Amino acid sequence: MNCKKVRQLVESYLLGDLGTLTREKVEDHLKNCPECRKVYSQEETFLSLLKKSLNANQQANWPLPINWGLVFSSKESKRYMRLVPSFALILILLVGIFLLLSPISAGLINKINSPTEEGSAVTIVSRDAGYPHNPPSEEGLNYRIGFY
Amino acid sequence: MKKNNLFIKGEKQSEDLSQLVLAAQAGSKEAFVRLFEKVKDSLYRTACVILENESDAYDALQDVALKAYKNIKQLREPLFFKTWVTRILINKCCAILKERKKVSLLADMSVLQVNLRENSPFSVGVMEAVNRLSFPYRAVIVLRYLEGYSQKEIARILKCPVGTVKSRLNAALKKLKADLEVQGLWHPSKEEEAYEL
C-alpha cells in the first residue's frame, strides 16, 4: 500500500470504518513510514478535537415533547382525504347514469329518433344542392336527415 | 500502533428496535412513540447543529415524527429505521434552510449561538466554522463526527454514492482546517493537549 492510498484511508481507519485486511495493511504502512505517521497523528488530533467540540456544544435542554396528538390526527385526516376523489368519481358516475335514464334524456333520444320535420329536410336539401352532378337520392336524403 | 478509543461508532440498532418497527408498521401507535423516542435525541442534536436554531430544530423534529408515522409502512428493512428517519430529517433541514434563504431572517443569531459563548474559544470556533460550511458539507460532518455514522450509512441517508460522501468529507475537513487555521485556533504541529476544550 502506498502513501497516497494510506492518507486517503486514515480518516476511515480512525473511525473504525475499515475491514480487517485493509486495517492491517494501513497499520503496517504506518509502522514503516514516518511521514504518514505524522499525517495520521495530525488527523487524529484534529478529528478528536472536532468530535469533542461538536459534543461539547450540545444543548443541555432536550427537545420539548413531541405533540403526538397532532401526529396521529394528521394521519386519520389524511386517510379520510384520500377517499375524497373516489367519492367524487362515484358521484359523477351516479349523476351520469341518472341523467341517462331520466325522463329528460329519454325525451331527447326520442326527439333524435323521431321522423324529421319538413323544415329540417329542406335545410338538408339546400346543403346538398352544392353538388349538382350528384343529386341526393331520396334514400340518401333520408339517411342524411337521420345523420344530421 | 495504539488502539484508538476516541471514535466509538454510533449505537447499533438492536433487535428490539426492529420489533418496534414491525409493530409500528402493523399500526401500533404505542410502538411508534417508543420507537421515535429512542432516536429523538440524536435527531434533535443533528437538527440543532445543521439549523443552528433550537426552535427550528424542534419544528423539524415534529415534522419528521409526522412524516415518519405516515410513511412507516414504506420502510422495507426495519434495521434501517434510524438512517431512514435521519434522511427525512436531513431533507426537512434542507427545506428549512432553503426557506430561510428566501426569507433571510434577521434573527439568525439563535439560542444556540448564545449558548456557544459559554464554551471554550476552540469549541465555539469549530461550531462557527461548521456553520459556515455549505449544507452538503455540514450534513456529512454532523452525521460522521457527531452521530458516528459510517460512510456507507451516510451514503444511504443522503442517497448518494459512497465516493461522493468520501470526497465531501475530505473537502469539508480541509475547509474546516483552513478556516480554523486562519482564525489561529488550529495548527497542525500542535498536540491535542495544547487545545483547551
Side-chain angles (χ1 to χ4, degrees):
Chain A
M1 198 174 269
N2 60 22
C3 292
K4 194 183 168 192
K5 183 79 183 160
V6 169
R7 285 173 200 190
Q8 280 174 355
L9 293 173
V10 160
E11 194 264 0
S12 302
Y13 174 76
L14 282 166
L15 276 94
D17 225 8
L18 295 179
T20 322
L21 201 69
T22 323
R23 199 176 63 233
E24 281 171 2
K25 278 182 183 173
V26 171
E27 282 175 0
D28 282 346
H29 183 92
L30 288 173
K31 273 178 197 164
N32 303 318
C33 180
E35 278 301 306
C36 287
R37 225 169 23 243
K38 198 177 159 190
V39 172
Y40 166 84
S41 175
Q42 286 173 4
E43 196 73 3
E44 185 188 29
T45 306
F46 184 75
L47 294 184
S48 165
L49 289 168
L50 175 65
K51 206 172 158 74
K52 282 179 185 169
S53 299
L54 287 171
N55 281 305
N57 283 307
Q58 284 316 300
Q59 300 302 296
N61 318 320
W62 288 111
L64 294 163
I66 300 286
N67 185 347
W68 290 112
L70 189 73
V71 171
F72 297 134
S73 67
S74 80
K75 182 162 189 186
E76 274 145 22
S77 67
K78 182 80 184 171
R79 253 186 210 161
Y80 170 75
M81 290 302 282
R82 220 180 283 164
L83 293 174
V84 168
S86 315
F87 278 129
L89 195 70
I90 291 166
L91 195 71
I92 290 166
L93 281 173
L94 284 174
V95 169
I97 291 165
F98 173 76
L99 282 175
L100 275 174
L101 300 177
S102 70
I104 305 162
S105 61
L108 277 171
I109 291 164
N110 283 342
K111 204 173 179 184
I112 290 164
N113 292 334
S114 65
T116 49
E117 289 164 23
E118 220 171 296
S120 61
V122 170
T123 316
I124 302 302
V125 169
S126 68
R127 272 179 168 219
D128 282 339
Y131 303 93
H133 304 297
N134 190 15
S137 65
E138 205 176 328
E139 278 174 31
L141 185 65
N142 283 340
Y143 169 75
R144 284 187 186 87
I145 290 160
F147 179 75
Y148 286 117
Chain B
M1 190 54 52
K2 69 173 178 178
K3 195 86 181 166
N4 204 308
N5 294 322
L6 287 168
F7 303 102
I8 302 156
K9 286 182 93 179
E11 249 181 63
K12 289 276 171 202
Q13 288 166 346
S14 58
E15 285 295 308
D16 183 37
L17 204 71
S18 53
Q19 278 173 0
L20 282 175
V21 173
L22 291 174
Q25 284 179 325
S28 166
K29 288 178 184 175
E30 195 196 327
F32 184 80
V33 172
R34 281 178 58 201
L35 188 65
F36 199 81
E37 290 294 330
K38 277 179 189 280
V39 296
K40 187 180 80 173
D41 291 350
S42 151
L43 295 176
Y44 183 69
R45 268 200 309 262
T46 308
C48 270
V49 179
I50 293 178
L51 299 171
E52 318 155 55
N53 184 312
E54 272 189 25
S55 64
D56 278 355
Y58 176 70
D59 286 348
L61 198 65
Q62 179 72 45
D63 201 62
V64 169
L66 204 144
K67 277 189 183 155
Y69 180 66
K70 271 199 280 189
N71 301 310
I72 186 86
K73 282 183 184 170
Q74 288 175 18
L75 177 64
R76 287 182 197 159
E77 180 51 69
L79 275 175
F80 293 157
F81 176 77
K82 201 178 169 191
T83 45
W84 177 72
V85 91
T86 309
R87 178 161 68 221
I88 300 175
L89 178 84
I90 294 288
N91 290 340
K92 181 67 194 167
C93 289
C94 185
I96 289 175
L97 289 176
K98 272 185 188 169
E99 194 65 30
R100 209 186 273 174
K101 263 187 191 174
K102 281 183 202 164
V103 180
S104 81
L105 284 174
L106 290 171
D108 212 19
M109 298 300 284
S110 55
V111 184
L112 185 72
Q113 295 201 345
V114 174
N115 287 347
L116 282 180
R117 296 198 184 97
E118 292 163 17
N119 288 314
S120 70
F122 185 84
S123 295
V124 176
V126 165
M127 286 308 289
E128 284 173 353
V130 168
N131 291 341
R132 274 193 289 272
L133 292 173
S134 61
F135 176 75
Y137 295 137
R138 204 188 302 177
V140 290
I141 289 287
V142 172
L143 293 173
R144 183 78 165 148
Y145 304 111
L146 183 65
E147 293 305 320
Y149 284 110
S150 71
Q151 291 178 349
K152 271 187 190 171
E153 284 170 327
I154 297 173
R156 203 180 298 133
I157 290 168
L158 300 176
K159 278 192 174 174
C160 65
V162 180
T164 310
V165 174
K166 280 182 188 171
S167 62
R168 280 186 194 171
L169 274 172
N170 281 335
L173 287 174
K174 264 188 192 172
K175 277 173 192 262
L176 275 181
K177 281 177 193 167
D179 197 342
L180 291 170
E181 226 172 320
V182 167
Q183 290 181 57
L185 292 169
W186 156 256
H187 196 274
S189 59
K190 268 194 193 175
E191 293 289 320
E192 191 181 334
E193 289 71 33
Y195 295 93
E196 193 192 321
L197 287 173

